[in-house]
Amino acid sequence: MQDKKITDLLESFQAIGRTKNQGYTRTVYDQAWCQAQKQCVNIIKELGLVPWVDEIGNLYATADLTWPKEPVILVGSHLDTVVDGGLYDGLYGALAAVLSVSQIVKSGQRMGRPLVAVIFSEEEGSRFDATFTGSQYLLGRHLKDFEHLVDARGQTFGQIRQAAVAALSPFVQTASRLKIAQYLELHIEQGPILEKAGTDIGIVTTIVGQERFLIQLAGQANHAGTTPMDCRDDALRRAVGLLADLYRELAQIPDLRYTIGKVQLEPNVANVIPGLVTFALDLRHQDQSVLSEAVGVVAELVDRYRAKLERTTAVMPTQMDAGLQEEIAGACQSVGLTHQFLPSGAGHDAQVMGEQVPTAMIFVPSVGGVSHVPEETTTPADLENGQRVLTAVLAKLVG
Amino acid sequence: MQDKKITDLLESFQAIGRTKNQGYTRTVYDQAWCQAQKQCVNIIKELGLVPWVDEIGNLYATADLTWPKEPVILVGSHLDTVVDGGLYDGLYGALAAVLSVSQIVKSGQRMGRPLVAVIFSEEEGSRFDATFTGSQYLLGRHLKDFEHLVDARGQTFGQIRQAAVAALSPFVQTASRLKIAQYLELHIEQGPILEKAGTDIGIVTTIVGQERFLIQLAGQANHAGTTPMDCRDDALRRAVGLLADLYRELAQIPDLRYTIGKVQLEPNVANVIPGLVTFALDLRHQDQSVLSEAVGVVAELVDRYRAKLERTTAVMPTQMDAGLQEEIAGACQSVGLTHQFLPSGAGHDAQVMGEQVPTAMIFVPSVGGVSHVPEETTTPADLENGQRVLTAVLAKLVG
């Protein structure tokens, strides 16, 4: 497997967790996830590295059978997907990490620091009501914080985690927690910016902060035929007013991303006046003060419409390490690729890692800017470009 | 059972088809429906009348074992309910019809025309994608028009109809189609008008016409975090504009009732930009020309927003018979009750009957104007008032 490319590695996952919509569903610890993890172990071994697994199911690849005690250069991404997601989100960066580590090991370069690739067990939160459990565990979060979580079928995180990790144990070494000097993650952009600009490589400056709310308006459900217009308390009619005001007011805040993605009515029947409307509002910005300003605008409007506001997510923006950003820019120049700096609108493991260790992210263009759908794709040239830059940066860092 | 009141008769149905929400679910031919029909047969017999059933499951009560060949005065309502409906919608008018017929027969009054009570098998359309099947059948519609319909569990109308009717056959006579001279129906108002006005009895002038549409806006689903605001085609954002315009423009049309009761998003996930929004619009007016004007307004707006419009229901307004309305007004005066004329915003069997025979409807007040919910109720005094007026009108008509 001397001359394997990143595209070859990705191709070997095309039959794992494939859905009828031609997408991929690998939620943490499910059958497709276990199968994909086993395939990663095979790849790690074929590339001449040593595979390890920790108790939450994070997979690691090292140069030899020595589990590092000193701080490491860590590089990786996650194995799980959203439901009916694409082939590249997470898996691309995870496989590229293993490939880059193997290439550096193989080059015979002297390593001043141990180099470890990681394939995080879970990032998307598609099975349990928790995200980033793999990276959180690695940074010291207790297993028992997650063990009680229950999925849609009533299975607990604890039960299925043990079974999944036990299934892999005969084939791998047992990993304990690492000390981490720096963390690098390669990922598809999942947006249209690089493609539109015609840039080869994106260097992430900040992972945006995110606030998510449920907003609820109550009215009185009643018969659509027999209730005169002036006797109605129509929850949807008021909600439409609030929604229109939210779209208009939030548009005034520069660079804010705001999305109303989910709306639910009760009883949601054609001939009944809506009695209750609930919708989700997602706000993202790289500057926490702007995000807070947006939250203030929302709270005021919600109040004016006598609606209820419940905050369901609050994540602060995470700055990427400036020195590492410069290293990536230098690596792009050294391999002859163009680059630009941009914030990440999506959450990543790098967001969790970045709170505790110097962290950076490399993006490659997404065709059409689409992601989390079966059509998600990146050109083979861009996939290879990203992995080449990753190798170049890592070679510099371990030197 | 000489002195039974309408409230006593209704009370005997309180345990049949009761739901965990304290409502009632009797969809055509289901177990609760069969049990309720059997209870109606018992009541008909106890009141000294003769029960009959036709092949679709309409139940009839006559004075004796003679099935009338000449045109009859028909009085009744329906036995089925919406899902989780109340005790009074349909059942009140059906039982009052049987009680009034029995009182007139018992009074020894000479009858110039046969008097028949009918309990229609189905009106609500809660099980199959068809409404008013009982009254449509009575007016000559072929059974085979309904037999192929399939319910949510995959059972056909034909199969379960035969089983339900066969179960009742040993206890009743076999009815054939009637010739009908006039049709009368007593019903709860299901709206707030009589209660607000403090009027005892409502006399229906028109049953409103109804148009129902599905309106669909397509955009492009995408990641809420990574898609810049100026690269979005957000189906909900456009839908909110259309909804606000619909509410504003339709409010200009006098006496129009317009309801958006159902809204569905795809994929309807908090962190995905909506790719598709579909909503249902229900329009009602007693004047077909106004209804057509409203449809024109809707079509123009839908066009402006590049949305798709699909008509799913179109029912013309039905005029109630002027002479019968006068008879009801006279009967109210004779028993010392106040009355007012009003249109019906809900559909009724009287709408189907009114297209072919002189028809009228009597309304009693609904507490709080609510209906199609477990809380639906009418005071005992109003229930008895309505049935007294019905008896008085029928006594006049058969005389």
Side-chain angles (χ1 to χ4, degrees):
Chain A
M1 230 170 146
Q2 300 280 349
D3 301 296
K4 280 283 179 192
K5 296 192 215 165
I6 180 63
T7 45
D8 300 325
L9 301 186
L10 281 163
E11 219 176 272
S12 70
F13 287 81
Q14 281 186 346
I16 302 176
R18 195 71 175 259
T19 69
K20 63 178 186 333
N21 300 324
Q22 302 306 312
Y24 296 86
T25 301
R26 290 188 305 273
T27 67
V28 67
Y29 310 135
D30 72 13
Q31 205 187 343
W33 181 94
C34 290
Q35 212 182 331
Q37 220 195 24
K38 189 73 179 21
Q39 173 64 8
C40 288
V41 168
N42 293 341
I43 287 172
I44 291 167
K45 289 181 176 175
E46 287 173 40
L47 289 171
L49 303 176
V50 176
W52 308 70
V53 71
D54 66 20
E55 55 180 353
I56 204 167
N58 292 325
L59 206 59
Y60 303 87
T62 58
D64 54 41
L65 276 165
T66 320
W67 186 244
K69 296 266 185 300
E70 66 274 46
V72 306
I73 309 287
L74 187 70
V75 55
S77 193
H78 60 97
L79 187 64
D80 68 319
T81 67
V82 296
V83 173
D84 258 327
L87 183 62
Y88 304 93
D89 181 355
L91 186 62
Y92 165 57
L95 295 176
V98 174
L99 186 59
S100 290
V101 170
S102 81
Q103 288 170 345
I104 290 169
V105 169
K106 207 168 302 152
S107 74
Q109 176 183 347
R110 188 201 147 268
M111 291 205 248
R113 278 195 184 282
L115 185 57
V116 178
V118 61
I119 301 172
F120 287 117
S121 53
E122 185 279 321
E123 185 251 20
E124 300 282 4
S126 356
R127 182 164 187 175
F128 296 96
D129 195 15
T131 50
F132 309 113
T133 52
S135 47
Q136 287 192 68
Y137 169 83
L138 178 56
L139 288 178
R141 186 85 181 263
H142 291 296
L143 259 188
K144 65 173 166 51
D145 292 344
F146 309 124
E147 297 289 77
H148 64 282
L149 294 171
V150 179
D151 72 5
R153 280 194 259 168
Q155 295 184 289
T156 68
F157 189 99
Q159 288 166 336
I160 58 173
R161 175 192 63 78
Q162 284 179 336
V165 173
L168 201 67
S169 298
F171 309 100
V172 298
Q173 308 297 311
T174 300
S176 51
R177 286 197 176 93
L178 289 166
K179 286 186 190 126
I180 304 156
Q182 288 167 315
Y183 175 71
L184 268 188
E185 182 167 355
L186 171 63
H187 206 280
I188 55 169
E189 181 199 335
Q190 307 184 272
I193 294 171
L194 295 176
E195 186 186 62
K196 289 211 167 183
T199 311
D200 297 321
I201 296 291
I203 302 171
V204 176
T205 53
T206 310
I207 299 175
V208 298
Q210 187 184 351
E211 303 255 3
R212 199 180 291 169
F213 298 94
L214 279 180
I215 298 175
Q216 194 167 73
L217 288 100
Q220 173 62 53
N222 213 338
H223 195 297
T226 59
T227 314
M229 298 312 293
D230 60 0
C231 296
R232 297 182 177 209
D233 181 9
D234 184 331
L236 180 64
R237 192 167 189 155
R238 281 198 287 121
V240 165
L242 173 55
L243 287 164
D245 283 356
L246 282 169
Y247 282 129
R248 196 188 52 247
E249 300 278 320
L250 294 175
Q252 308 304 316
I253 301 176
D255 296 325
L256 182 74
R257 287 193 187 149
Y258 49 97
T259 306
I260 293 144
K262 189 175 182 175
V263 179
Q264 275 170 324
L265 273 61
E266 285 181 28
N268 210 31
V269 173
N271 62 353
V272 179
I273 298 160
L276 192 69
V277 175
T278 309
F279 62 89
L281 172 67
D282 180 293
L283 301 176
R284 306 192 193 206
H285 201 279
Q286 52 184 311
D287 182 336
Q288 183 60 40
S289 68
V290 179
L291 203 49
S292 299
E293 177 197 337
V295 172
V297 167
V298 171
E300 201 184 303
L301 282 174
V302 163
D303 206 46
R304 194 183 306 165
Y305 279 85
R306 290 169 291 122
K308 279 199 310 191
L309 187 70
E310 181 194 349
R311 190 193 308 241
T312 55
T313 298
V315 181
M316 303 272 285
T318 306
Q319 302 302 322
M320 297 293 97
D321 184 76
L324 286 176
Q325 289 181 51
E326 285 310 312
E327 292 291 352
I328 299 168
C332 288
Q333 283 170 328
S334 74
V335 298
L337 295 173
T338 58
H339 70 270
Q340 74 178 82
F341 294 90
L342 79 176
S344 168
H348 293 288
D349 288 308
Q351 189 169 357
V352 175
M353 304 302 288
E355 287 169 13
Q356 298 199 20
V357 300
T359 293
M361 284 197 84
I362 303 165
F363 275 176
V364 293
S366 288
V367 175
V370 298
S371 182
H372 281 189
V373 289
E375 299 76 37
E376 167 187 289
T377 190
T378 292
T379 66
D382 284 329
L383 292 169
E384 287 172 24
N385 284 344
Q387 193 259 324
R388 271 202 299 155
V389 171
L390 184 67
T391 306
V393 178
L394 289 173
K396 185 91 182 294
L397 293 180
V398 299
Chain B
M1 230 169 148
Q2 299 280 350
D3 301 297
K4 281 282 180 192
K5 294 192 215 168
I6 180 65
T7 45
D8 301 325
L9 301 185
L10 281 162
E11 221 177 271
S12 70
F13 287 81
Q14 281 186 345
I16 303 176
R18 195 72 175 260
T19 68
K20 62 177 188 330
N21 299 324
Q22 302 306 313
Y24 295 86
T25 301
R26 290 189 304 274
T27 66
V28 68
Y29 311 135
D30 73 13
Q31 207 186 341
W33 182 93
C34 290
Q35 212 182 329
Q37 221 196 23
K38 190 72 182 18
Q39 172 64 8
C40 288
V41 167
N42 293 340
I43 287 173
I44 291 168
K45 288 181 176 176
E46 286 174 38
L47 289 172
L49 302 176
V50 178
W52 309 69
V53 71
D54 66 20
E55 55 180 353
I56 204 167
N58 292 325
L59 207 59
Y60 304 87
T62 57
D64 55 41
L65 276 163
T66 319
W67 186 245
K69 299 266 185 301
E70 67 272 47
V72 305
I73 310 287
L74 188 69
V75 55
S77 193
H78 60 96
L79 186 65
D80 68 319
T81 67
V82 296
V83 173
D84 260 326
L87 183 61
Y88 304 94
D89 181 354
L91 186 63
Y92 165 56
L95 295 176
V98 174
L99 186 58
S100 291
V101 169
S102 80
Q103 288 169 346
I104 290 168
V105 169
K106 208 168 302 153
S107 73
Q109 176 184 349
R110 188 198 148 271
M111 293 204 248
R113 277 194 184 282
L115 185 56
V116 177
V118 61
I119 301 171
F120 286 118
S121 53
E122 185 278 322
E123 185 253 20
E124 300 282 5
S126 355
R127 182 163 188 176
F128 295 96
D129 194 15
T131 50
F132 309 113
T133 52
S135 46
Q136 286 194 69
Y137 169 82
L138 177 56
L139 287 178
R141 187 87 180 264
H142 292 295
L143 261 187
K144 66 175 167 47
D145 292 346
F146 309 123
E147 296 289 77
H148 64 282
L149 294 170
V150 178
D151 72 5
R153 280 195 260 167
Q155 296 184 289
T156 68
F157 189 99
Q159 288 165 334
I160 57 172
R161 175 192 64 76
Q162 284 178 335
V165 173
L168 200 68
S169 298
F171 309 100
V172 298
Q173 309 297 312
T174 300
S176 51
R177 286 197 177 93
L178 290 167
K179 283 184 192 129
I180 303 156
Q182 289 167 315
Y183 176 71
L184 267 188
E185 182 166 356
L186 171 63
H187 206 281
I188 55 169
E189 183 200 333
Q190 307 184 271
I193 293 171
L194 295 175
E195 186 185 62
K196 290 212 166 183
T199 311
D200 298 320
I201 296 292
I203 303 172
V204 175
T205 52
T206 310
I207 300 175
V208 299
Q210 187 184 351
E211 303 256 2
R212 198 179 293 168
F213 299 93
L214 280 179
I215 297 173
Q216 194 166 73
L217 288 101
Q220 174 64 51
N222 212 337
H223 195 297
T226 58
T227 314
M229 298 311 294
D230 60 0
C231 297
R232 296 182 177 209
D233 182 8
D234 184 331
L236 181 64
R237 191 167 190 156
R238 282 198 287 122
V240 165
L242 174 54
L243 287 164
D245 283 355
L246 282 170
Y247 282 130
R248 195 187 53 248
E249 300 277 322
L250 294 175
Q252 309 303 316
I253 301 176
D255 297 324
L256 182 75
R257 287 193 187 149
Y258 50 96
T259 305
I260 294 143
K262 190 175 184 176
V263 180
Q264 278 173 319
L265 273 63
E266 284 181 29
N268 209 31
V269 173
N271 62 354
V272 179
I273 299 161
L276 192 68
V277 175
T278 309
F279 63 89
L281 172 67
D282 179 295
L283 302 176
R284 305 191 194 206
H285 202 280
Q286 51 184 311
D287 182 337
Q288 182 61 39
S289 68
V290 178
L291 203 50
S292 299
E293 179 197 336
V295 172
V297 167
V298 171
E300 201 184 304
L301 282 173
V302 162
D303 205 47
R304 195 183 304 163
Y305 279 84
R306 290 170 290 121
K308 278 199 310 189
L309 187 70
E310 181 195 348
R311 189 193 309 241
T312 56
T313 299
V315 180
M316 302 272 283
T318 307
Q319 304 301 322
M320 296 293 98
D321 183 76
L324 286 175
Q325 291 181 51
E326 284 311 311
E327 292 290 352
I328 298 167
C332 289
Q333 284 170 327
S334 74
V335 298
L337 295 172
T338 57
H339 70 269
Q340 73 178 86
F341 294 90
L342 79 177
S344 168
H348 293 288
D349 287 308
Q351 190 169 356
V352 175
M353 304 301 290
E355 287 171 12
Q356 297 198 20
V357 300
T359 292
M361 284 198 85
I362 302 166
F363 275 176
V364 293
S366 288
V367 175
V370 298
S371 182
H372 281 189
V373 289
E375 299 76 37
E376 168 187 289
T377 190
T378 292
T379 67
D382 283 330
L383 292 170
E384 287 172 24
N385 284 344
Q387 192 259 322
R388 271 203 297 154
V389 171
L390 185 65
T391 305
V393 178
L394 290 174
K396 185 89 184 294
L397 293 180
V398 299

